[in-house]
Amino acid sequence: MENKRLKIGVIFGGASSEKEVSLEGGRNVYYKLSGEKYEKIPIFVDSKLGLWKINDFLIVQNTYSDLEALLPEYGKKIPYEKLKEMIDFAFVIGHGKYLEDGCFQGLLEILDIPYNGSGVLSSALGMDKYQLRKILIAHGIKIPKYIAVFDKEWASHQKEVIKKIKKEIGFPCLVKPSREGCSTGITVIRKEEKLSKAIEGAFQWDRIVLIDEYIEKAIEITCSVLGNDGSTSSPLKKLEALPLTETPWQQNLEYLTLLDKFLPGGAEMITPARLDEAMTKKAKETAIKVCQILNLKGYPRIDMFVKNGEIIVLEPNTLPGVTPSTMVFHQAAEVGMSPEEFLDKIIELGLEAHKNKKGPL
């Protein structure tokens, strides 16, 4: 491939609650990738998870639904099995179910197409907070205190479940689905009478709902980690924690919504975070440890709280948002990387990981 441009499939869209962010991130990556280095092929994933080769006219459509409505006229449907003939590398800008949770990674493994980010199992664990937390606890990582509620348990023993929540978690608490990201289906509950409705709402997204302690008066931080494997000395594989970003608590918000996190002006982001040297070091070490435990690769982002000198891990993001205003570009800029250089690094790490794998990544 030294004598030709690498064919990069920029893949975005999908069927999750985060598809609008995927569209915005996909546009950003498509336009920021170097046209001299790469042959860029925009590929849209529709609401039924079908693949379409699209053009610049479709990319600039305002919303996901606007774009999808124009696909039959301006797009070209791509059978899954033909994808390998079109691209050398899949740059997936997918969030939530099916594109970020290991499902699409499994398809790419079967098609033998290298891709960015983590492999099938790591991606699945990153999305499934219930399974993820059991693993982190086993490795001594502090997480929020929580209770898992299963749909069948809720259907037959609501009173007992509520009693358990009151006793073990209390109020305020945070209700959320196990396998959704970016604040989807989340409700902050301060009074018992609103708890049942919130749990019912969360069950619209998943069969397992988590009831978390609501952590107040904490500093919310996030840390992106570059690399494929913390166990070797190879420059490409060594894990590097980028500078931390702090998202200060805002009085009018109980938590940051999807729009707050990824659209301009939604939330204040301070990079580097306003922590002392010792706490910064501890947070970075924790982020790297989470990546090692879960075998995360590429450029995962670890969301955490700092409170009373402790690091509380919320979740990893195996395919962090790459909209123009998101924090991963802020963190990369702090170590001298432009957005274009950061995207180049993601591709470089993806190719390296797949070159050396044995079996699925």
Side-chain angles (χ1 to χ4, degrees), residues 63-92:
T63 67
Y64 180 98
S65 58
D66 291 340
L67 194 163
E68 187 171 43
L70 294 170
L71 285 174
E73 185 175 359
Y74 296 99
K76 179 182 178 182
K77 191 72 180 289
I78 306 169
Y80 286 157
E81 61 271 19
K82 296 293 184 180
L83 187 60
K84 186 173 176 60
E85 300 174 11
M86 296 178 57
I87 64 175
D88 302 314
F89 184 89
F91 200 126
V92 184

Side-chain angles (χ1 to χ4, degrees), residues 102-361:
C103 293
F104 199 73
Q105 287 73 17
L107 173 65
L108 294 173
E109 291 285 355
I110 291 170
L111 296 175
D112 193 27
I113 299 173
Y115 54 88
N116 57 311
S118 297
V120 177
L121 178 59
S122 300
S123 298
L125 290 173
M127 182 59 57
D128 191 326
K129 298 178 187 68
Y130 176 60
Q131 301 297 339
L132 163 75
R133 287 178 172 184
K134 291 190 287 184
I135 294 171
L136 293 182
I137 289 171
H139 285 83
I141 300 292
K142 186 173 179 59
I143 63 168
K145 184 167 62 175
Y146 77 101
I147 289 174
V149 181
F150 297 80
D151 55 355
K152 290 184 179 180
E153 176 189 19
W154 177 251
S156 57
H157 297 92
Q158 287 191 23
K159 290 183 178 179
E160 290 86 346
V161 169
I162 291 174
K163 184 178 179 180
K164 183 179 181 182
I165 292 169
K166 288 169 61 179
K167 179 181 179 182
E168 298 186 18
I169 304 297
F171 299 100
C173 63
L174 199 69
V175 178
K176 59 186 177 184
S178 176
R179 294 180 299 169
E180 282 293 328
C182 292
S183 308
T184 300
I186 287 182
T187 311
V188 176
I189 300 299
R190 298 187 179 275
K191 297 182 179 180
E192 180 183 344
E193 54 265 31
K194 296 185 178 182
L195 182 59
S196 294
K197 183 178 179 181
I199 293 174
E200 295 285 354
F203 274 127
Q204 300 301 310
W205 298 96
D206 204 347
R207 298 186 64 184
I208 302 175
V209 169
L210 303 181
I211 316 297
D212 284 6
E213 63 174 322
Y214 183 61
I215 301 174
E216 298 183 277
K217 298 180 180 179
I219 301 172
E220 186 170 357
I221 58 171
T222 187
C223 180
S224 299
V225 179
L226 286 179
N228 288 330
D229 186 353
S231 64
T232 76
S233 58
S234 167
L236 266 180
K237 294 184 176 182
K238 184 178 180 181
L239 299 184
E240 175 192 0
L242 296 183
L244 308 175
T245 295
E246 175 187 350
T247 50
W249 180 78
Q250 299 180 48
Q251 192 170 359
N252 61 326
L253 299 175
E254 292 186 307
Y255 61 90
L256 294 179
T257 68
L258 183 69
L259 300 182
D260 294 326
K261 291 177 179 177
F262 295 113
L263 296 185
E268 184 181 2
M269 299 177 190
I270 300 172
T271 308
R274 298 170 297 183
L275 299 175
D276 63 32
E277 185 177 347
M279 191 54 63
T280 296
K281 182 174 183 290
K282 186 175 182 179
K284 288 183 175 183
E285 288 174 349
T286 300
I288 287 174
K289 185 175 180 181
V290 169
C291 292
Q292 291 171 328
I293 291 167
L294 301 173
N295 194 28
L296 303 182
K297 298 183 184 297
Y299 59 116
R301 196 190 79 228
I302 313 300
D303 296 341
M304 300 170 280
F305 278 142
V306 179
K307 185 173 182 180
N308 298 330
E310 291 188 306
I311 305 296
I312 305 170
V313 173
L314 302 178
E315 62 181 350
N317 297 267
T318 56
L319 291 178
V322 285
T323 61
S325 63
T326 192
M327 65 278 289
V328 295
F329 293 117
H330 304 173
Q331 295 173 10
E334 285 292 319
V335 295
M337 297 176 70
S338 69
E340 293 82 1
E341 289 169 334
F342 182 66
L343 297 177
D344 286 345
K345 185 68 172 178
I346 291 172
I347 294 170
E348 182 183 17
L349 286 166
L351 290 170
E352 176 72 12
H354 288 269
K355 178 183 178 181
N356 294 326
K357 70 183 183 181
K358 295 182 179 179
L361 187 62

